[in-house]
Amino acid sequence: MKIIITERQKNLLKENIPVALRRRLNFKELKGHLEFVIQNYNPCDYGSLGDYIGEMCNMLVLDLINDYYYENGGKIDSKTKDDLYYLMVDNFADHLQELYDKQCS
């Protein structure tokens, strides 16, 4: 399933995210971070493409939140965590699908 949001919705999502985390929302930096997260996981070990995308995006969000906590001592509420998750799915689902299709077909 692909979630499509407008540019305005994307900006509204970012408004709810703390400034220290927003600074990290550079696509290139996040993609590098995602590559680091997924390097130890085999996409074919997941029951479906959706499970794989969901788990990788969730791990990326948790990793970003942990980094934020250690660097700033701040906590993230569940709404912000959800906003980050949907932002990651929106940005990286296609990339993760390519990896899944390449390795599991």
Side-chain angles (χ1 to χ4, degrees):
M1 180 169 115
K2 190 172 189 174
I3 299 172
I4 300 173
I5 64 173
T6 65
E7 187 70 30
R8 183 177 181 279
Q9 290 170 321
K10 187 174 181 178
N11 290 336
L12 286 173
L13 283 174
K14 283 186 176 182
E15 287 177 11
N16 295 328
I17 298 170
V19 175
L21 268 175
R22 269 190 274 157
R23 280 187 241 132
R24 294 177 163 260
L25 296 180
N26 170 320
F27 180 79
K28 192 175 186 178
E29 186 175 328
L30 285 174
K31 188 170 181 188
H33 206 75
L34 177 66
E35 295 299 328
F36 174 76
V37 169
I38 66 175
Q39 70 185 355
N40 295 316
Y41 296 93
N42 181 358
C44 305
D45 290 343
Y46 293 85
S48 69
L49 172 63
D51 290 344
Y52 175 66
I53 290 172
E55 187 63 27
M56 293 303 108
C57 288
N58 190 51
M59 282 194 274
L60 177 59
V61 167
L62 292 175
D63 200 38
L64 290 170
I65 289 172
N66 285 338
D67 288 351
Y68 175 76
Y69 177 78
Y70 287 113
E71 290 174 8
N72 301 300
K75 292 191 177 186
I76 300 294
D77 62 19
S78 60
K79 173 149 180 23
T80 302
K81 182 179 173 186
D82 290 345
D83 290 343
L84 276 170
Y85 173 80
Y86 291 121
L87 192 63
M88 296 307 130
V89 170
D90 180 53
N91 281 302
F92 298 112
D94 292 339
H95 174 67
L96 290 167
Q97 181 176 357
E98 287 176 16
L99 291 173
Y100 186 88
D101 290 345
K102 216 182 267 184
Q103 293 183 20
C104 302
S105 314

